Amino acid sequence: MFMPTQAIAPTLRAYGATIGERVRFRSPLVFHNSESEHGRYYENLAVGDDCYFGRELFLDLQDKITIEDQVTISHRVMILTHTDAGTSPLKDKFIPTAQAPVVIRRGAYIGANVTILQGVEIGEESIVGAGAVVTRSVAPATVVVGVPARVSVVS
């Protein structure tokens, strides 16, 4: 969870992640569902070149997370690749278990405290405003804000 910035990318690579060049992760990081029987704990994580990740990032690796080149992800962002209501009686009727990958395309900017849900693709050079909850994919070169995230009208 806590380690020097320069040690994070090499450690992730050593345990199965694909991490590009000049990638900076700030600790602490939290990984969920990164268990593996064969030691490739982070194989569902692929990050391109020249990316930045702020503090308190939460990555759910139940399914694949792909982050392309030149992406900035601010502090306290949560990327979820599955929903599972566990033992709740609501599980089967109202909250079905779901799993799907998340893709963040080249040049995107994700603001602080954003939550991105499973199956979402953030388009190239898009902006997700701070505090947004992204429940649907975002088109390229689009600004979204709010809960749930919606296209922002730019004046």
Side-chain angles (χ1 to χ4, degrees), residues 24-93:
R24 293 185 304 147
F25 288 92
R26 304 294 303 220
S27 66
L29 297 171
V30 176
F31 291 96
H32 183 56
N33 292 310
S34 61
E35 296 85 18
S36 173
E37 292 182 19
H38 56 280
R40 297 188 51 80
Y41 303 106
Y42 307 116
E43 67 186 349
N44 276 344
L45 179 61
V47 177
D49 296 332
D50 302 305
C51 292
Y52 173 83
F53 298 88
R55 296 184 190 283
E56 298 184 39
L57 176 65
F58 182 98
L59 298 175
D60 170 16
L61 296 179
Q62 179 72 29
D63 207 315
K64 185 91 168 162
I65 296 175
T66 302
I67 299 164
E68 294 183 346
D69 299 340
Q70 298 176 313
V71 168
T72 295
I73 297 181
S74 298
H75 304 303
R76 293 188 174 167
V77 169
M78 182 177 289
I79 301 174
L80 302 173
T81 62
H82 86 291
T83 298
D84 186 348
T87 59
S88 171
L90 301 173
K91 180 176 183 169
D92 296 325
K93 193 171 182 181

Side-chain angles (χ1 to χ4, degrees), residues 138-150:
V138 177
T142 301
V143 177
V144 296
V145 298
V147 179
R150 299 193 192 292

Side-chain angles (χ1 to χ4, degrees), residues 101-119:
V102 170
V103 178
I104 302 176
R105 298 286 180 200
R106 186 189 68 78
Y109 174 82
I110 311 299
N113 293 306
V114 166
T115 300
I116 300 172
L117 299 184
Q118 73 268 2

